[in-house]
C-alpha cells in the first residue's frame, strides 16, 4: 500500500518536467505492477516453537493381528434322551426292570442305602413257555414273578435268594430315559468309547442312575 502512494506522488512531477523541456513532448509510460495488499509473512522461530509446544500428537496404534477363530468339535458322542417302554416289579430286597428297546432285564440288589449292585440279563422268555411255577407258594402279601421276570428268578438261585419275593405285581409304563456315553481321548486325539451311565425313572418317578463302570446303581435326589 505504501509503494502505491509513492508512485501516485511521483507521476505528476514526471509529467510536469517533461512539459517544461523544449522540443516535442515526450510521453512517458509507466507500467505499475500492483502490490498485493497483504503479503504472506514467514513465521518466526518463536512462533513455530510455540505451535509445536501446544500441538497434541496422537500416536499411531501398533498393528495387532487377531487370530482367526478356530472351530472346535466336541469328540464325545451326544447324550441319548427319549422315552422307553419298561416293566417294573419291586422285591423285598431290590427290583427288576424290563427294558423293551434292549430286550433286557436289569436286576437291582438293594443294599438299604439307596444304592447297590446292578446286573444285566437277556430276556429269554418266549410265549408258550411256563409263566410261573405252581409249586412255589409265596408268603401272604408277596408275589411270585411271572413270564420273563419269573423265568430269570426261578432259574437263577442267587437272584432268587438275594431279591426274595416280589412285594408288588409287575406293571408296565413309559419312562424318561438318558444314556450318557463314556470314553476318553487317546494319545492321537481320537475318542475311544468307554463305559457310560443310564438314567431311568420308576413308576413313582424315582430317579435311578445305572453305572456301567462299576456295575452299581444309585438313587438320585
Amino acid at each position: 500500500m505504501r509503494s502505491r502512494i509513492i508512485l501516485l506522488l511521483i507521476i505528476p512531477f514526471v509529467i510536469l518536467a517533461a512539459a517544461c523541456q523544449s522540443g516535442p513532448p515526450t510521453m512517458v509510460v509507466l507500467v505499475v505492477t500492483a502490490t498485493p495488499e497483504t503479503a504472506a509473512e514467514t513465521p518466526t522461530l518463536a512462533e513455530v516453537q510455540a505451535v509445536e509446544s501446544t500441538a497434541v500428537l496422537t500416536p499411531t496404534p501398533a498393528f495387532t493381528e487377531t487370530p482367526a477363530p478356530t472351530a472346535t468339535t466336541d469328540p464325545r458322542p451326544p447324550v441319548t434322551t427319549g422315552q422307553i417302554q419298561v416293566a417294573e416289579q419291586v422285591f423285598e430286597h431290590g427290583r427288576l426292570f424290563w427294558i423293551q428297546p434292549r430286550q433286557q432285564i436289569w436286576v437291582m440288589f438293594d443294599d438299604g442305602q439307596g444304592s447297590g449292585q446292578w446286573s444285566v440279563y437277556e430276556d429269554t422268555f418266549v410265549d408258550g413257555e411256563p409263566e410261573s411255577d405252581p409249586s412255589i407258594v409265596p408268603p401272604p402279601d408277596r408275589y411270585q414273578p411271572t413270564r420273563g421276570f419269573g423265568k430269570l428268578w426261578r432259574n437263577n438261585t442267587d437272584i432268587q435268594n438275594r431279591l426274595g419275593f416280589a412285594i408288588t405285581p409287575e406293571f408296565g409304563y413309559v419312562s424318561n430315559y438318558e444314556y450318557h456315553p463314556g470314553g476318553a481321548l487317546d494319545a492321537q486325539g481320537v475318542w475311544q468309547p468307554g463305559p457310560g451311565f443310564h438314567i431311568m425313572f420308576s413308576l413313582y418317578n424315582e430317579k435311578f442312575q445305572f453305572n456301567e463302570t462299576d456295575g452299581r446303581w444309585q438313587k438320585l435326589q
Side-chain angles (χ1 to χ4, degrees), residues 29-219:
V29 179
L30 298 177
V31 179
V32 180
T33 302
T35 303
E37 294 185 2
T38 304
E41 297 182 358
T42 302
T44 65
L45 177 59
E47 292 173 335
V48 172
Q49 292 175 342
V51 172
E52 289 179 349
S53 64
T54 58
V56 178
L57 300 179
T58 303
T60 303
F63 175 74
T64 303
E65 183 177 0
T66 303
T70 303
T72 57
T73 303
D74 190 342
R76 294 175 298 181
V79 175
T80 302
T81 61
Q83 293 185 320
I84 59 174
Q85 182 70 41
V86 300
E88 177 185 359
Q89 191 165 18
V90 183
F91 287 73
E92 293 173 315
H93 307 293
R95 300 179 191 232
L96 292 179
F97 280 105
W98 175 69
I99 313 301
Q100 186 273 334
R102 295 173 174 262
Q103 291 296 301
Q104 293 176 341
I105 297 175
W106 291 5
V107 182
M108 298 169 58
F109 299 110
D110 193 346
D111 61 9
Q113 304 297 321
S115 61
Q117 185 182 351
W118 163 54
S119 301
V120 177
Y121 298 86
E122 298 299 319
D123 179 16
T124 62
F125 178 79
V126 178
D127 286 336
E129 292 182 332
E131 295 189 2
S132 64
D133 184 350
S135 66
I136 299 176
V137 180
D141 300 324
R142 295 295 187 262
Y143 301 87
Q144 176 191 170
T146 61
R147 296 180 62 83
F149 286 172
K151 181 178 179 179
L152 178 63
W153 183 81
R154 291 191 304 272
N155 293 342
N156 191 315
T157 56
D158 180 63
I159 293 177
Q160 183 178 151
N161 293 333
R162 293 179 66 181
L163 285 181
F165 284 94
I167 61 176
T168 69
E170 178 182 332
F171 42 83
Y173 60 97
V174 175
S175 171
N176 291 325
Y177 171 81
E178 301 174 13
Y179 179 66
H180 298 252
L185 292 174
D186 61 16
Q188 287 71 40
V190 178
W191 182 262
Q192 298 298 332
F197 64 89
H198 307 259
I199 298 291
M200 201 168 60
F201 297 81
S202 73
L203 178 66
Y204 299 101
N205 209 35
E206 299 167 290
K207 186 176 183 180
F208 297 105
Q209 178 173 319
F210 300 85
N211 302 311
E212 294 177 336
T213 305
D214 56 7
R216 293 186 62 82
W217 66 272
Q218 62 190 90
K219 184 177 179 180

